[in-house]
Amino acid sequence: MEGHLVGDATGVPLTGWEFAWLDGRAIGAEPSWSFPDLARPLVRRARSLLDLDTGGGELLADLAPLPPHTVAVEGWAPNVPVARDRLTPFGVSVVTELPGGEEEFDVALSRHGRLPAADLARLLRPGGTLLSQQVGSDDLAELNAELGAPPPHAQRWAADDAVAALTAAGLEITDVREERPTLTFRDIGAVVYQLRSVPWQVHDFTPQRYDRQLRRLDALIRTYGGLTVTAHRFLVRAQRPE
């Protein structure tokens, strides 16, 4: 698809979980709670911290100062050097696999990352806390429908699914929240950037492959001033029993 907005969106480097390029071009999708605000008091009281799927380390850097033993896990190769550059000054160890030990961490965080219940139960110390914000399986499903693409997730993933998995692993649930805020794309470049940033949304996406659908969406956005779809977020807090 031609046009400088799409050209910009296809040329922006994608590393970490920094979406500043979308400021003013995609509006919304934030739940009523603030994950950093909920995480910060947990981090302040902890002596050891695990952050799953840290991206480029943006969240941990925002939460500094950090516990003396802090480990960030990031499995996507392009993000690893970005995270290490950002987090090394804070004394954070960035690894590509989950630690193999037991009862190592006071707090585990996972914002839009994995939620391996059995591993988290193994890695948390007795009394340790998990705080996770997840992207549910209904996230931006209308965007897929507009593009004629399959749904973003083959399996359902919602708050009750996470609660069931964590409870089965032996953790006690202390807080659950689930919301579906809206997200409005103000131009077609924002749509393209979003789909490049989260490739699991439309697995076979390229601007060329979806040229016809993008042109139709571009016309719709220009006519109505935006394309509004529904995000899906849920928050779970759990504790390993003493």
Side-chain angles (χ1 to χ4, degrees):
M1 182 177 182
E2 297 178 358
H4 74 281
L5 290 177
V6 171
D8 288 349
T10 57
V12 178
L14 300 177
T15 54
W17 299 123
E18 175 57 62
F19 289 84
W21 192 86
L22 288 176
D23 288 352
R25 305 173 82 161
I27 300 172
E30 293 300 325
S32 61
W33 63 83
S34 165
F35 187 85
D37 287 349
L38 294 172
R40 193 165 281 110
L42 297 175
V43 171
R44 293 291 180 270
R45 294 193 297 267
R47 291 191 55 79
S48 53
L49 171 66
L50 175 69
D51 185 33
L52 287 179
D53 296 331
T54 196
E58 298 87 355
L59 173 65
L60 284 186
D62 181 56
L63 293 176
L66 301 169
H69 178 50
T70 299
V71 175
V73 182
E74 179 53 46
W76 192 46
N79 278 349
V80 174
V82 178
R84 286 179 175 155
D85 286 346
R86 178 174 280 123
L87 296 176
T88 295
F90 298 101
V92 176
S93 174
V94 178
V95 299
T96 58
E97 302 288 344
L98 281 171
E102 297 182 2
E103 299 184 2
E104 185 176 347
F105 299 99
D106 296 322
V107 174
L109 303 176
S110 178
R111 183 176 67 169
H112 300 183
R114 292 169 290 166
L115 199 65
D119 286 315
L120 288 165
R122 166 179 62 85
L123 288 164
L124 282 172
R125 291 175 175 160
T129 299
L130 163 71
L131 182 68
S132 179
Q133 179 176 301
Q134 294 283 300
V135 177
S137 55
D138 293 338
D139 193 57
L140 310 189
E142 300 104 324
L143 180 58
N144 291 59
E146 289 284 355
L147 292 170
H153 300 282
Q155 293 184 326
R156 182 180 183 272
W157 182 238
D160 56 348
D161 302 302
V163 165
L166 293 169
T167 301
L171 298 178
E172 296 178 349
I173 307 302
T174 59
D175 191 8
V176 182
R177 313 180 196 186
E178 187 165 22
E179 294 181 359
R180 287 173 167 79
T182 59
L183 174 65
T184 299
F185 295 101
R186 301 294 298 274
D187 63 61
I188 197 62
V191 173
V192 171
Y193 183 87
Q194 176 75 23
L195 293 172
R196 290 184 61 227
S197 300
V198 288
W200 52 88
Q201 187 76 38
V202 177
H203 294 275
D204 65 345
F205 177 78
T206 66
Q208 296 76 23
R209 180 174 288 119
Y210 283 85
D211 179 79
R212 177 177 58 80
Q213 295 93 325
L214 290 172
R215 290 179 183 276
R216 184 179 64 80
L217 282 185
D218 182 48
L220 184 152
I221 291 170
R222 291 175 185 274
T223 299
Y224 296 102
L227 170 69
T228 298
V229 295
T230 307
H232 184 190
R233 301 285 184 269
F234 62 89
L235 179 108
V236 180
R237 178 169 172 166
Q239 186 171 23
R240 178 172 172 176
E242 296 277 3

